[in-house]
Amino acid sequence: METQYDKKLTRALVSVYDKESASGLIKELHRAGISIISTGGTLSHITDMGIPATSVEKLTAYPEILGGRVKTLHPSVMGGILCRPDHGGDRNDMERMGIDPIDIVVVDLYPFEETLESGASHDELIEKIDIGGISLIRAAAKNFRHVFVIPSKLYFPEAESMLRQGGGKVSIDDRRRMAATAMEVTSLYDTAISEYLGSGQTGTFRKSVGPGVELRYGENPHQQARFYGDLQGVFEQLSGKPLSYNNLLDVDAAMGLVWEFKKPVIAIIKHGSACGAAERESMDEAWKEALSGDPVSAFGGVIAANREIDAGVAGKICELFFEVLVAPAFTPDALEILKQKKKRIILRSLNFEPRQEQYRTALNGVLWQSRDERNTPPDQWQYPTARRPEANEEGDLLFANTIVKHLKSNAISLVKDNTLIGIGTGQTSRVDALKQAILKAKEFGHELVGAVMASDAFFPFPDCVEIAHREGITAVIQPGGSVRDQESVDFCNKAGMSMVFTGTRHFKH
């Protein structure tokens, strides 16, 4: 494929929603001696800059109609873009119809997704579905051998640089690359509209997520990776190295967990699971107790808080090596302390809210599901045992059930005084998960007498409550639903334990 600047561009059609973003590019078009055709507000913006431009109405000898819904959909425009100057039949048609070629198309589409996110009405959204702009982009991309398409304000600076460096010429390689980008822009745009009109219930899996950024690597150095989305809408990075694939997964897990709590809480995440978490009246106490859960696993972890971090807490956190700290705010003194290590990643969380849907690849397709947003409140719990939980146990049970919801199945969480003291996660049996959690708790000197236990799914046999009782655990929360629930209930009654049924399973794979 040719790589030289092989085509001198002569005539541009400019139709953009964000006028100011196009100013630099318009100036470069004019400097390169490229004539400009434009529409409506864009035309006014160009002439206000003191740059000559021809109106589309003059080109087509036809006014825009239907309140601006139809402006550029005309043979004089579409023919100019789609014509092939090296094709005899096309040349004859162009001469016969008096149509001149258009070899640059600059478009910035109506902001449908931004309008959707603003909470605008249905009628407002419908009017933000761009028709002419999409047609111009697709036509120019199809004819990239002869036309340079610039499909969004995101690419205006790059296009301006290309034109400046090439003296008004753009190579076939760059035109093809930008054509591919243009088709991506229209695909994402159409997907967003399809999702809205179909309320997400379309027959095929299509998602409008972008733009993409390269990551250093995937889960392992030999794997390639990208992130698609707008991280700046979730957090502001205040310092540190670029986030890795694994960092992003752990930050997602950490923010998703602390988002569940209303009171001050700190959680420590390692490989997607909480290895420490505590809810207290102060961040200082929350950090101390969260770290006590498993100080060994906490090394190199991701830390998340749902309150401001001050200098005192920052100093104590910095005694531990960690990868990422995310919180809604930091005092200036805290930031000064935290930034002392340049690679340490510090994130200020913004208006984070977990996505309402989740999807992942599986076999030769994609699995989709709604997010597990249910966390059954105490007023909906069922109490099958004779003894109901005490007030302090009830608080611990709610805390433990929230934690276990975020652990990989099979999962058990052990909690005492709103502090996570042991987890069993990703085990092939529930008994093994409980034994792992007990081992963790004992390893770090936690007293299990008076602790509570949460399970992500029901107990098929009474063995787990029997083991829990032997260790001094006094209350259990689980979904219930086993055909042998009564055996576990009977044992709890015999042992004086309390058991709660939530009616909600929290499998996580």
Side-chain angles (χ1 to χ4, degrees):
M1 191 174 285
E2 299 171 84
T3 57
Q4 74 272 23
Y5 290 99
D6 64 332
K7 180 172 176 61
K8 177 69 172 70
L9 303 170
T10 60
R11 198 163 180 245
L13 173 62
V14 181
S15 181
V16 297
Y17 181 82
D18 187 344
K19 278 68 173 172
E20 288 297 332
S21 68
S23 295
L25 178 57
I26 291 166
K27 289 177 182 177
E28 185 58 36
L29 291 172
H30 179 61
R31 191 198 66 77
I34 297 167
S35 62
I36 299 174
I37 307 159
S38 193
T39 63
T42 307
L43 177 66
S44 298
H45 178 72
I46 295 170
T47 55
D48 287 346
M49 292 171 62
I51 293 174
T54 302
S55 70
V56 166
E57 289 92 336
K58 184 175 181 181
L59 179 72
T60 63
Y62 205 91
E64 65 176 61
I65 59 173
L66 307 181
R69 281 188 165 199
V70 180
K71 289 181 280 194
T72 56
L73 297 177
H74 189 280
S76 293
V77 175
M78 302 306 288
I81 296 169
L82 286 165
C83 72
R84 296 160 292 182
D86 56 354
H87 187 282
D90 284 8
R91 286 199 307 272
N92 291 338
D93 285 344
M94 298 287 281
E95 291 172 6
R96 178 168 56 85
M97 300 300 297
I99 299 174
D100 293 323
I102 296 171
D103 50 19
I104 302 182
V105 172
V106 181
V107 175
D108 182 48
L109 297 168
Y110 291 164
F112 179 83
E113 288 185 276
E114 291 87 340
T115 306
L116 178 61
E117 291 170 1
S118 74
S121 69
H122 173 74
D123 288 345
E124 290 175 301
L125 281 165
I126 293 300
E127 291 309 310
K128 285 296 186 289
I129 297 176
D130 205 314
I131 302 300
I134 286 284
S135 301
L136 295 174
I137 291 172
R138 289 180 63 83
K142 175 177 180 176
N143 203 26
F144 71 87
R145 289 184 61 243
H146 306 287
V147 180
F148 180 40
V149 60
I150 309 162
S152 163
K153 65 182 178 181
L154 296 175
Y155 307 100
F156 290 175
E158 180 184 1
E160 182 182 343
S161 176
M162 284 186 203
L163 290 166
R164 184 182 304 112
Q165 293 176 12
K169 297 179 181 180
V170 177
S171 71
I172 184 66
D173 283 346
D174 284 335
R175 296 201 303 276
R176 179 174 181 140
R177 178 174 58 83
M178 199 62 86
T181 298
M183 289 302 191
E184 185 177 89
V185 168
T186 61
S187 175
L188 291 172
Y189 193 81
D190 287 343
T191 296
I193 296 167
S194 173
E195 287 179 356
Y196 169 71
L197 293 176
S199 300
Q201 303 301 313
T202 55
T204 57
F205 181 82
R206 291 168 60 89
K207 289 294 167 188
S208 176
V209 184
V213 293
E214 293 285 348
L215 302 177
R216 296 198 304 276
Y217 51 79
E219 286 183 287
N220 301 291
H222 62 276
Q223 294 174 268
Q224 296 180 329
R226 292 175 67 84
F227 176 83
Y228 294 91
D230 179 20
L231 289 175
Q232 294 180 351
V234 180
F235 53 70
E236 176 187 5
Q237 183 162 353
L238 303 177
S239 69
K241 61 186 178 182
L243 285 148
S244 70
Y245 182 96
N246 292 332
N247 288 156
L248 288 169
L249 287 175
D250 282 346
V251 168
D252 178 68
M255 294 179 72
L257 177 57
V258 300
W259 181 83
E260 298 255 16
F261 295 95
K262 303 305 179 190
K263 293 181 180 179
V265 72
I266 288 182
I268 307 168
I269 302 297
K270 194 73 171 288
H271 296 298
S273 294
C275 59
E279 186 180 65
R280 289 293 187 275
E281 292 303 318
S282 72
M283 284 286 100
D284 186 77
E285 281 298 311
W287 168 249
K288 176 183 173 183
E289 298 303 326
L291 181 61
S292 74
D294 185 348
V296 173
S297 294
F299 182 86
V302 169
I303 304 164
N306 64 355
R307 295 291 193 278
E308 182 181 65
I309 299 296
D310 63 22
V313 177
K316 291 175 182 178
I317 290 176
C318 285
E319 293 173 4
L320 173 78
F321 169 74
F322 64 92
E323 284 277 333
V324 183
L325 171 60
V326 55
F330 302 87
T331 65
D333 289 346
L335 276 180
E336 187 175 340
I337 293 168
L338 293 166
K339 289 182 176 181
Q340 288 176 2
K341 290 191 175 181
K342 292 184 178 181
K343 291 186 178 181
R344 183 185 287 151
I345 300 168
I346 308 301
L347 307 175
R348 183 174 70 86
S349 58
L350 303 176
N351 297 319
F352 172 78
E353 186 167 341
R355 291 181 67 94
Q356 295 302 303
E357 56 182 7
Q358 299 172 325
Y359 36 88
R360 63 198 293 186
T361 58
L363 301 175
N364 63 345
V366 175
L367 284 170
W368 177 98
Q369 68 172 357
S370 59
R371 183 175 66 86
D372 180 7
E373 57 184 351
R374 184 176 299 174
N375 195 0
T376 310
D379 62 3
Q380 295 178 23
W381 290 353
Q382 300 172 39
Y383 301 92
T385 53
R387 186 176 82 80
R388 290 173 66 114
E390 303 292 339
N392 65 306
E393 289 176 323
E394 185 172 283
D396 281 351
L397 288 169
L398 182 60
F399 188 88
N401 197 51
T402 304
I403 295 290
V404 84
K405 170 184 169 182
H406 291 265
L407 298 176
K408 294 290 181 69
S409 300
N410 288 308
I412 294 286
S413 68
L414 302 179
V415 166
K416 189 172 184 180
D417 299 328
N418 283 342
T419 299
L420 179 64
I421 61 173
I423 64 165
T425 181
Q427 298 301 302
T428 52
S429 88
R430 200 155 303 283
V431 170
D432 285 345
L434 175 56
K435 288 178 178 178
Q436 182 189 51
I438 291 169
L439 181 66
K440 278 286 187 181
K442 289 182 174 180
E443 182 180 355
F444 300 108
H446 295 295
E447 177 58 67
L448 285 167
V449 175
V452 307
M453 170 175 73
S455 174
D456 64 331
F458 65 62
F459 298 118
F461 305 102
D463 45 11
C464 281
V465 291
E466 292 168 359
I467 294 169
H469 173 64
R470 288 200 297 268
E471 299 296 338
I473 292 166
T474 57
V476 179
I477 188 167
Q478 58 133 325
S482 168
V483 295
R484 303 179 71 166
D485 274 344
Q486 193 59 44
E487 294 180 27
S488 292
V489 171
D490 289 344
F491 179 85
C492 286
N493 283 331
K494 181 180 177 181
M497 296 173 69
S498 172
M499 180 176 283
V500 167
F501 289 165
T502 65
T504 303
R505 190 182 75 182
H506 292 296
F507 270 170
K508 186 178 182 185
H509 290 85

